[in-house]
Amino acid sequence: MAERIRVRFAPSPTGKVHIGNIRAAIFNWLFARHVGGAFLLRVEDTDLERSTPEAIRALLDCMRWLRLDWDGEILYQTSQRAHHLEVAEDLLRRGLAYRENKGGQGECVIFRMPREGVIEFDDLVKGHMKKQAKDTQDFVIVRSDGSPVFHLANVLDDVTQGVTHIIRGDDHVENTFKHIMLFRAIGAPVPRYAHLPMIVNNGGKPYSKRDGSAFVGEFRELGFVPDALFNYLALLGWAPGDDREVMSRAEMVEAFDFAKCKASPARFDIKKLTWMNGEYIAREPRGEFEAAFDARLRAAGLPTEPLNGHRGALLDEIQPRTKTYGDVPGNCRWFFAEDYPFDGKAVAKRLHAEGAAETLEAAAGALEALPDFTAAAAEGAVRGLAEARGVGLGALVHPIRVAVSGRMEGPGLFEMLWLLGQGRAVGRLRAVAAKLREGAL
């Protein structure tokens, strides 16, 4: 009977989870679910200053938000310290490690690397990897203060958890040559390795906070939805082999294959992620969208009932246009309050043209004269005014839109006017015309 595949995600909790680390978790999860294996979680909490209970809670909250469910109990690395030190002592007894005073701080335990031969392995992403043993150096496995170093603890915990495949970033390739020798030294089978490409910025450098949002919590605060972030990160270094991009979890699990992973760096594109997030939001059940939409309004101190009612119709217009929930208050404030801001570029482009005030006054009069105020009636009035003035429809649509909303983008103008209501739309047009004449806008 074939051995069940077991993979692990082994983060060091620091309070913030980088997208590169969670991308590794996603690949581990997809592979485990694809082959019917186990996805294990290990918290490498040996850095006691940074691995606080708050940091660990933040890590687990992040994983739950992304629905990265793990199998079995969490292994905390600090609980294995006694075992790590016992193995180090055994390596010393067998001459595979030695003690050395490092910088006058006390004696460290150093692992002895071979001096002859080749260390090699077949990477599931990068292909055959090898290194001459003479090009390696011995390395510390226990510090002078008696604490195990990452290399020893990491390998021994993989043995404890029965890990068969190690999937991590390719910044660990050099560590892998060391770890292979540690596995051999303790008589444990060497797992299979898959080293994922680095996530880089537009300049090809490792993606970091300097390039924009880099931590999962930041994307959550900005209003990205977990399934969209999961989907996008899964495609950084892997593709299903067809034109699919927006995929369900089940589709990704079914299609996942290391043969389709790329070894070259994966460029993080916030525009692509934002587009994908919009696709997910547009497909959300109305109840889910409405709850998230209202939460953002309340957080911004806005009411959840639009000024002129028509809540359902408003949501029909807003949901397919929402790219992130973080944009909701700014994009929609003019539906819920009269103190909406004006975009400076929009004002300069659409309202500072000669005759703009007169145009808005004329539009206000045309709309005010309508006996039955509907979107279709508003469109007929504006079109009729454009024809009477001998101008294209855009010459009226653009300044009217900016006047009533402060923005150049949004739902169709005539639906906007109907949603605002006749009195409010007319009042805003006249108020903006007055501000333009006074030089106040």
Side-chain angles (χ1 to χ4, degrees), residues 178-330:
K178 299 175 182 178
H179 295 180
I180 286 173
M181 299 314 300
L182 274 172
F183 278 112
R184 292 175 180 171
I186 62 178
V190 178
R192 297 291 307 276
Y193 283 92
H195 288 92
L196 308 175
M198 294 295 290
I199 298 177
V200 299
N201 59 19
N202 288 331
K205 303 294 184 182
Y207 187 86
S208 70
K209 178 63 179 172
R210 292 187 299 272
D211 301 304
S213 298
F215 302 105
V216 174
E218 293 175 318
F219 289 98
R220 185 177 184 178
E221 291 170 6
L222 288 170
F224 288 87
V225 297
D227 284 349
L229 185 60
F230 183 106
N231 191 163
Y232 180 73
L233 292 177
L235 296 177
L236 289 184
W238 170 76
D242 49 36
D243 294 331
R244 286 181 295 170
E245 289 186 309
V246 179
M247 303 171 66
S248 68
R249 301 265 176 136
E251 289 172 324
M252 285 183 274
V253 166
E254 181 182 7
F256 190 81
D257 185 347
F258 278 115
K260 297 174 183 176
C261 290
K262 304 170 186 175
S264 56
R267 185 173 68 87
F268 185 84
D269 184 348
I270 187 63
K271 291 183 179 179
K272 184 68 171 289
L273 170 59
T274 302
W275 165 81
M276 183 171 285
N277 198 66
E279 293 294 304
Y280 271 88
I281 289 176
R283 301 176 189 189
E284 282 184 331
R286 175 52 60 84
E288 289 183 21
F289 173 78
E290 198 165 0
F293 181 82
D294 287 352
R296 292 286 172 163
L297 292 177
R298 285 192 291 268
L302 292 170
T304 56
E305 185 63 30
L307 292 168
N308 199 45
H310 305 309
R311 179 178 167 86
L314 172 60
L315 295 177
D316 288 341
E317 294 289 335
I318 294 298
Q319 182 168 356
R321 292 177 171 85
T322 300
K323 301 305 178 187
T324 71
Y325 281 112
D327 293 334
V328 164

Side-chain angles (χ1 to χ4, degrees), residues 332-348:
C332 304
R333 186 177 186 89
W334 55 277
F335 275 122
F336 296 89
E338 289 296 344
D339 62 337
Y340 56 96
F342 283 81
D343 178 77
K345 291 182 179 179
V347 170

Side-chain angles (χ1 to χ4, degrees), residues 26 56 81 207 255 373:
I26 288 170
I56 293 172
R81 176 169 174 160
Y207 187 86
F373 196 74

Side-chain angles (χ1 to χ4, degrees), residues 87 89-97 184-187:
V87 172
E89 288 296 328
D90 180 64
L91 293 173
L92 284 167
R93 285 193 297 270
R94 293 192 287 131
L96 298 175
R184 292 175 180 171
I186 62 178

Side-chain angles (χ1 to χ4, degrees), residues 152-196:
L152 179 65
N154 189 266
V155 165
L156 294 181
D157 291 345
D158 282 333
V159 174
T160 296
Q161 290 189 294
V163 172
T164 63
H165 292 67
I166 296 175
I167 305 163
R168 58 190 182 185
D170 64 8
D171 54 327
H172 281 288
V173 168
E174 287 303 311
N175 288 335
T176 295
F177 292 108
K178 299 175 182 178
H179 295 180
I180 286 173
M181 299 314 300
L182 274 172
F183 278 112
R184 292 175 180 171
I186 62 178
V190 178
R192 297 291 307 276
Y193 283 92
H195 288 92
L196 308 175

